[in-house]
Structures are given as structure tokens and as C-alpha cells.
Amino acid sequence: MTGRIVLGLGGTVDYELEWNAAAFQRLVDGYGIRLAEVEDDPPSAVPGGRGIVLAVLRSMRRGRGCECYVEDKSHLLAFDARFHHRVTLGGTGVRAALAMSRLGVASTVHLVSISDEVRRGLPQGVAHLCSAEEDSLDPHVIVQYPHGAAVRLVDGMVVAGRPNRVILVNDEPNERMVLSRGLPAALRQASAVLISGLNTMKRADDLRARLAELAGMLRGVPQGAPVVYEDAGFHDEALRAVVLETVPSLADAHSLNEDEARQYLGRQMDLTAPGDVAAMMEGLGEILGSPTVMVHTSRYAACIGAEAGLYRDAARAGCLMASTRFVNGDRYGRAEYDAVAVSPREPVGLALAAAPELRRAGVLIAPGYDARTSSPTTIGLGDAFIGGVMAHLAARTRSVASEGEPGRG
């Protein structure tokens, strides 16, 4: 099997804002925001400029990154215009492909929109399929704030306890998620497949139809080539259940971060306590129904299920890729990757890997790296993680697979 890694389903153009505390404070002052508003539960859709500012404040207050649908694109662009931004390419599959390409690993990405920004941004080692019939540009605006960022409200303060990001979106092509006619042929030659991006869809009927279409295409994936579903922040939380109707039968592993894990479980967990981590993984195994479940956090990745050992090994590569991005942003290659690889392992991850409670529960831990920097990158860490995972899985597939294997049936 010599095929490429196939990464879908959608890609984006991202405007990564440079954090400007004074500019953000002026917005907060102008809206007269009070602490009680920040404590309120977020709406399913952000209604306007004030709502955008509240979404960022809620993320800072709660210590969680998030992705939000903004009802009116003009408000999104007006917010962006108040800051300097850098144009990058986004979407989990695309960012995973870019991470792998910096280490010389080739892949094919499936896109649902295309523009000159995308054509210029994809490197030579990343091929693409696209379902769009004409160019369009619907940028995702990403606010990345640092640890300790402090914002003054009318009656209090909000201080960020950790660096994180808020993704603000109004993107019709990714809401529709039309599949390319060229995708089945790519899947028939794949060494590993990533499914992502379903979180942007809006209608349950459209999502079910797209999943049924995808299921037919995935039958052509060669036997032994792993299929991984990467979760995300859903614009409509009710659609998580729709995905779970089908994904367990399509994917060998369900991958998600700690925020998404909390969403499914409906409770907080102490991610440093062996008992809580074991309960989290056992609970997710029951809820998600996939053969293997993998949760990636800033300190480690945890795996449970039929192929926990395989995915724990892949997660080690994922942690290394994510840590390399955390330290270097987009400015890394093999030398920077190798430098992070010899840094110490994260202490909490090491402790959990040795915890007997987790071993008894069948939970395997891949400790992260205790990589430090004064200017961390928080955008795309989960995407870099899954890029490392997919590269590892594909390399293993190629090493054990023989030519002419049948499809999945």
C-alpha cells in the first residue's frame, strides 16, 4: 500500500488576530459589559459585535477554548478590522497536513471551498480535492489570548488562567460540506483516513445524508488502513448525537480533547487524578461507542478500547508534533521537532502513565512534553496532534500491508 494519507472533510482560510489588550479593552468599555453576563451560558449562535466580545471573555473566564457561529458575517469582519491579523490555512485536516508536510510527510486534503489564499498556502507535499465549483472566501477569525491577559469590566475583572483561542465562524461551504466526486478514488488508495469538520453543519437531515454518503465511500478504504474521527466544538450541540448514530461504525477511533470530553460527560473532571481520568475514559467508551477512544490534553493523551496500544503509540507522535507547534508556531522543521523530542516529559502525564488505577481500567497514557516558551502558540495544537497521530498510523500501515488488499466491504 503506497497511497497517501487522506484528510477531510473541510478546510478554511483563517485570520489569526494579534492580541491587542488595549484594543480589546476599548471594545469591552464601549459595550459596558458586566461580570454576570460573562457568567451566563453562551448562546448557540453569537448575535453580533457584543456577543463576539462576550464569547472571548467567557472563554478566558472558564479557561476553555471554543468555536462559535456568528450570525452576521459583517459583525465578524468588523471585529477583525480592529486588530492586525495573519492569514493562514485552517480546518483540522488542512492544519494536520501542514504539520506533517514540515517533516516531509505527504498527504491529500479534501476541501469544500477554494480561493487564491488556499492555492498559495498549500505546499507542494499537500495535494487537494475540492467539491466547490467556484472560488469563495469565508474567513474564520481566531482570537488567541495569552496567559494572564486581564480585562476590566464595569464591576470586576476577567483574567485568563491559561493561553487559549476562540474561533469565530460564518462559513456556508463548510455548513453544507459537499463531498468531492474524486474522494472515493483517493480513499481506495489511502494509507490512513481522517474525518473531521462535521461540527460546522447546521441541519440534522443534511448531516445524516452526508454521513450516509461518506459511509458508502469509506467502504473502499483498504483493509488495515485506519479511519480516525476527530471531534470538535459543534456550532449546534444537538448534532453531536446525530454524528454518534453513524461514526462508531465508520471509524476505528474517536479522538477528542478535554473540552469535548466534558461536553459528552456533562461534568468536570480532575485531569490530574487517576480515578477521574479512568472514569472519564470508561464513560466516554460507553457514550461514544467507537472501538477505541483517544482524549488529548495539554499534558498527555489517554486511550481506551480495542486498539488502545496502537493509538497510545500514535499519540506519542501526536504529543511531540503538538509540543513542537506550541514552542515554534509555524516556524519548525525536522531540527526543531528533534529538539523538542529530547525535552523532559510532562510530570502529570508520567504519573498517570504509571498509575495502577488506569492500568486496571485498560487506559493507556502517552505523556506530553514539558516544552517551555515565552510566546506559546495555542492555535492548531489539536490539529498538530492529530497530524502526528495520522503520520504514525500511516507509516505503520505501509510497513505491514501487502499489495492488493481488499476494501472494507
Side-chain angles (χ1 to χ4, degrees), residues 350-370:
L350 286 173
L352 291 173
E357 299 99 314
L358 290 171
R359 292 178 181 174
R360 286 195 296 268
V363 178
L364 301 181
I365 300 291
Y369 291 80
D370 195 15

PDB file of all heavy atoms in Angstrom, residues 350-370:
ATOM      1  N   LEU A 350       3.470  11.579  33.080  1.00  0.00           N
ATOM      2  CA  LEU A 350       4.296  10.468  33.560  1.00  0.00           C
ATOM      3  C   LEU A 350       3.650   9.768  34.751  1.00  0.00           C
ATOM      4  O   LEU A 350       3.632   8.535  34.838  1.00  0.00           O
ATOM      5  CB  LEU A 350       5.687  10.976  33.943  1.00  0.00           C
ATOM      6  CG  LEU A 350       6.636  11.331  32.788  1.00  0.00           C
ATOM      7  CD1 LEU A 350       7.892  11.987  33.339  1.00  0.00           C
ATOM      8  CD2 LEU A 350       6.985  10.085  31.977  1.00  0.00           C
ATOM      9  N   ALA A 351       3.114  10.568  35.678  1.00  0.00           N
ATOM     10  CA  ALA A 351       2.480   9.983  36.856  1.00  0.00           C
ATOM     11  C   ALA A 351       1.262   9.156  36.475  1.00  0.00           C
ATOM     12  O   ALA A 351       1.044   8.045  37.004  1.00  0.00           O
ATOM     13  CB  ALA A 351       2.105  11.084  37.839  1.00  0.00           C
ATOM     14  N   LEU A 352       0.465   9.665  35.556  1.00  0.00           N
ATOM     15  CA  LEU A 352      -0.725   8.926  35.139  1.00  0.00           C
ATOM     16  C   LEU A 352      -0.352   7.653  34.385  1.00  0.00           C
ATOM     17  O   LEU A 352      -1.021   6.617  34.519  1.00  0.00           O
ATOM     18  CB  LEU A 352      -1.616   9.809  34.271  1.00  0.00           C
ATOM     19  CG  LEU A 352      -2.311  10.972  34.985  1.00  0.00           C
ATOM     20  CD1 LEU A 352      -3.028  11.854  33.975  1.00  0.00           C
ATOM     21  CD2 LEU A 352      -3.296  10.462  36.033  1.00  0.00           C
ATOM     22  N   ALA A 353       0.703   7.706  33.593  1.00  0.00           N
ATOM     23  CA  ALA A 353       1.126   6.518  32.844  1.00  0.00           C
ATOM     24  C   ALA A 353       1.500   5.375  33.774  1.00  0.00           C
ATOM     25  O   ALA A 353       1.379   4.194  33.409  1.00  0.00           O
ATOM     26  CB  ALA A 353       2.298   6.865  31.932  1.00  0.00           C
ATOM     27  N   ALA A 354       1.946   5.710  34.989  1.00  0.00           N
ATOM     28  CA  ALA A 354       2.357   4.690  35.954  1.00  0.00           C
ATOM     29  C   ALA A 354       1.262   4.343  36.956  1.00  0.00           C
ATOM     30  O   ALA A 354       1.460   3.467  37.809  1.00  0.00           O
ATOM     31  CB  ALA A 354       3.599   5.175  36.708  1.00  0.00           C
ATOM     32  N   ALA A 355       0.105   4.988  36.880  1.00  0.00           N
ATOM     33  CA  ALA A 355      -0.938   4.818  37.893  1.00  0.00           C
ATOM     34  C   ALA A 355      -1.640   3.468  37.754  1.00  0.00           C
ATOM     35  O   ALA A 355      -2.181   3.151  36.682  1.00  0.00           O
ATOM     36  CB  ALA A 355      -1.957   5.941  37.787  1.00  0.00           C
ATOM     37  N   PRO A 356      -1.676   2.662  38.811  1.00  0.00           N
ATOM     38  CA  PRO A 356      -2.319   1.344  38.715  1.00  0.00           C
ATOM     39  C   PRO A 356      -3.822   1.427  38.441  1.00  0.00           C
ATOM     40  O   PRO A 356      -4.386   0.531  37.796  1.00  0.00           O
ATOM     41  CB  PRO A 356      -2.038   0.714  40.084  1.00  0.00           C
ATOM     42  CG  PRO A 356      -1.654   1.836  40.985  1.00  0.00           C
ATOM     43  CD  PRO A 356      -1.032   2.864  40.118  1.00  0.00           C
ATOM     44  N   GLU A 357      -4.500   2.503  38.913  1.00  0.00           N
ATOM     45  CA  GLU A 357      -5.938   2.634  38.650  1.00  0.00           C
ATOM     46  C   GLU A 357      -6.233   2.668  37.155  1.00  0.00           C
ATOM     47  O   GLU A 357      -7.226   2.102  36.687  1.00  0.00           O
ATOM     48  CB  GLU A 357      -6.497   3.911  39.290  1.00  0.00           C
ATOM     49  CG  GLU A 357      -6.355   3.964  40.794  1.00  0.00           C
ATOM     50  CD  GLU A 357      -5.164   4.803  41.209  1.00  0.00           C
ATOM     51  OE1 GLU A 357      -4.073   4.632  40.615  1.00  0.00           O
ATOM     52  OE2 GLU A 357      -5.338   5.627  42.123  1.00  0.00           O
ATOM     53  N   LEU A 358      -5.363   3.344  36.408  1.00  0.00           N
ATOM     54  CA  LEU A 358      -5.574   3.452  34.966  1.00  0.00           C
ATOM     55  C   LEU A 358      -5.259   2.137  34.268  1.00  0.00           C
ATOM     56  O   LEU A 358      -5.957   1.724  33.339  1.00  0.00           O
ATOM     57  CB  LEU A 358      -4.719   4.588  34.400  1.00  0.00           C
ATOM     58  CG  LEU A 358      -5.198   5.978  34.816  1.00  0.00           C
ATOM     59  CD1 LEU A 358      -4.199   7.052  34.423  1.00  0.00           C
ATOM     60  CD2 LEU A 358      -6.546   6.285  34.190  1.00  0.00           C
ATOM     61  N   ARG A 359      -4.210   1.478  34.707  1.00  0.00           N
ATOM     62  CA  ARG A 359      -3.883   0.185  34.103  1.00  0.00           C
ATOM     63  C   ARG A 359      -5.019  -0.809  34.305  1.00  0.00           C
ATOM     64  O   ARG A 359      -5.377  -1.561  33.392  1.00  0.00           O
ATOM     65  CB  ARG A 359      -2.588  -0.349  34.708  1.00  0.00           C
ATOM     66  CG  ARG A 359      -1.350   0.464  34.333  1.00  0.00           C
ATOM     67  CD  ARG A 359      -0.115  -0.101  35.009  1.00  0.00           C
ATOM     68  NE  ARG A 359       1.073   0.664  34.683  1.00  0.00           N
ATOM     69  CZ  ARG A 359       2.264   0.450  35.237  1.00  0.00           C
ATOM     70  NH1 ARG A 359       2.412  -0.513  36.148  1.00  0.00           N
ATOM     71  NH2 ARG A 359       3.306   1.187  34.896  1.00  0.00           N
ATOM     72  N   ARG A 360      -5.591  -0.838  35.509  1.00  0.00           N
ATOM     73  CA  ARG A 360      -6.691  -1.764  35.777  1.00  0.00           C
ATOM     74  C   ARG A 360      -7.907  -1.465  34.904  1.00  0.00           C
ATOM     75  O   ARG A 360      -8.662  -2.370  34.537  1.00  0.00           O
ATOM     76  CB  ARG A 360      -7.088  -1.689  37.257  1.00  0.00           C
ATOM     77  CG  ARG A 360      -6.094  -2.369  38.190  1.00  0.00           C
ATOM     78  CD  ARG A 360      -6.705  -2.591  39.563  1.00  0.00           C
ATOM     79  NE  ARG A 360      -7.019  -1.330  40.240  1.00  0.00           N
ATOM     80  CZ  ARG A 360      -6.190  -0.693  41.066  1.00  0.00           C
ATOM     81  NH1 ARG A 360      -4.974  -1.193  41.302  1.00  0.00           N
ATOM     82  NH2 ARG A 360      -6.552   0.434  41.654  1.00  0.00           N
ATOM     83  N   ALA A 361      -8.091  -0.186  34.582  1.00  0.00           N
ATOM     84  CA  ALA A 361      -9.226   0.210  33.737  1.00  0.00           C
ATOM     85  C   ALA A 361      -8.936   0.036  32.245  1.00  0.00           C
ATOM     86  O   ALA A 361      -9.819   0.296  31.417  1.00  0.00           O
ATOM     87  CB  ALA A 361      -9.598   1.665  34.020  1.00  0.00           C
ATOM     88  N   GLY A 362      -7.733  -0.377  31.907  1.00  0.00           N
ATOM     89  CA  GLY A 362      -7.370  -0.538  30.498  1.00  0.00           C
ATOM     90  C   GLY A 362      -7.069   0.769  29.789  1.00  0.00           C
ATOM     91  O   GLY A 362      -7.133   0.843  28.556  1.00  0.00           O
ATOM     92  N   VAL A 363      -6.730   1.799  30.558  1.00  0.00           N
ATOM     93  CA  VAL A 363      -6.423   3.112  29.991  1.00  0.00           C
ATOM     94  C   VAL A 363      -4.910   3.255  29.855  1.00  0.00           C
ATOM     95  O   VAL A 363      -4.169   3.075  30.826  1.00  0.00           O
ATOM     96  CB  VAL A 363      -6.976   4.249  30.877  1.00  0.00           C
ATOM     97  CG1 VAL A 363      -6.599   5.617  30.296  1.00  0.00           C
ATOM     98  CG2 VAL A 363      -8.492   4.122  31.013  1.00  0.00           C
ATOM     99  N   LEU A 364      -4.457   3.561  28.671  1.00  0.00           N
ATOM    100  CA  LEU A 364      -3.032   3.757  28.403  1.00  0.00           C
ATOM    101  C   LEU A 364      -2.767   5.237  28.168  1.00  0.00           C
ATOM    102  O   LEU A 364      -3.548   5.917  27.491  1.00  0.00           O
ATOM    103  CB  LEU A 364      -2.596   2.940  27.187  1.00  0.00           C
ATOM    104  CG  LEU A 364      -2.813   1.420  27.280  1.00  0.00           C
ATOM    105  CD1 LEU A 364      -2.307   0.740  26.016  1.00  0.00           C
ATOM    106  CD2 LEU A 364      -2.146   0.840  28.515  1.00  0.00           C
ATOM    107  N   ILE A 365      -1.655   5.728  28.715  1.00  0.00           N
ATOM    108  CA  ILE A 365      -1.331   7.161  28.685  1.00  0.00           C
ATOM    109  C   ILE A 365      -0.056   7.401  27.877  1.00  0.00           C
ATOM    110  O   ILE A 365       0.954   6.704  28.063  1.00  0.00           O
ATOM    111  CB  ILE A 365      -1.115   7.700  30.116  1.00  0.00           C
ATOM    112  CG1 ILE A 365      -2.367   7.509  30.960  1.00  0.00           C
ATOM    113  CG2 ILE A 365      -0.689   9.176  30.081  1.00  0.00           C
ATOM    114  CD1 ILE A 365      -3.541   8.359  30.578  1.00  0.00           C
ATOM    115  N   ALA A 366      -0.125   8.389  26.991  1.00  0.00           N
ATOM    116  CA  ALA A 366       1.064   8.904  26.304  1.00  0.00           C
ATOM    117  C   ALA A 366       1.388  10.261  26.913  1.00  0.00           C
ATOM    118  O   ALA A 366       0.672  11.236  26.657  1.00  0.00           O
ATOM    119  CB  ALA A 366       0.808   9.048  24.807  1.00  0.00           C
ATOM    120  N   PRO A 367       2.425  10.374  27.758  1.00  0.00           N
ATOM    121  CA  PRO A 367       2.752  11.669  28.362  1.00  0.00           C
ATOM    122  C   PRO A 367       3.168  12.683  27.301  1.00  0.00           C
ATOM    123  O   PRO A 367       3.815  12.339  26.301  1.00  0.00           O
ATOM    124  CB  PRO A 367       3.925  11.346  29.300  1.00  0.00           C
ATOM    125  CG  PRO A 367       3.872   9.871  29.490  1.00  0.00           C
ATOM    126  CD  PRO A 367       3.319   9.304  28.227  1.00  0.00           C
ATOM    127  N   GLY A 368       2.794  13.942  27.526  1.00  0.00           N
ATOM    128  CA  GLY A 368       3.242  15.005  26.648  1.00  0.00           C
ATOM    129  C   GLY A 368       4.662  15.425  26.969  1.00  0.00           C
ATOM    130  O   GLY A 368       5.383  14.757  27.723  1.00  0.00           O
ATOM    131  N   TYR A 369       5.066  16.544  26.409  1.00  0.00           N
ATOM    132  CA  TYR A 369       6.414  17.067  26.592  1.00  0.00           C
ATOM    133  C   TYR A 369       6.349  18.359  27.400  1.00  0.00           C
ATOM    134  O   TYR A 369       5.471  19.192  27.181  1.00  0.00           O
ATOM    135  CB  TYR A 369       7.079  17.314  25.237  1.00  0.00           C
ATOM    136  CG  TYR A 369       7.387  16.028  24.514  1.00  0.00           C
ATOM    137  CD1 TYR A 369       6.388  15.339  23.819  1.00  0.00           C
ATOM    138  CD2 TYR A 369       8.652  15.470  24.556  1.00  0.00           C
ATOM    139  CE1 TYR A 369       6.644  14.143  23.182  1.00  0.00           C
ATOM    140  CE2 TYR A 369       8.936  14.275  23.914  1.00  0.00           C
ATOM    141  CZ  TYR A 369       7.926  13.612  23.234  1.00  0.00           C
ATOM    142  OH  TYR A 369       8.190  12.422  22.603  1.00  0.00           O
ATOM    143  N   ASP A 370       7.282  18.494  28.344  1.00  0.00           N
ATOM    144  CA  ASP A 370       7.317  19.681  29.204  1.00  0.00           C
ATOM    145  C   ASP A 370       8.110  20.770  28.500  1.00  0.00           C
ATOM    146  O   ASP A 370       9.147  21.231  28.969  1.00  0.00           O
ATOM    147  CB  ASP A 370       7.949  19.319  30.544  1.00  0.00           C
ATOM    148  CG  ASP A 370       7.702  20.386  31.603  1.00  0.00           C
ATOM    149  OD1 ASP A 370       6.819  21.235  31.377  1.00  0.00           O
ATOM    150  OD2 ASP A 370       8.391  20.365  32.634  1.00  0.00           O
TER     151      ASP A 370
END
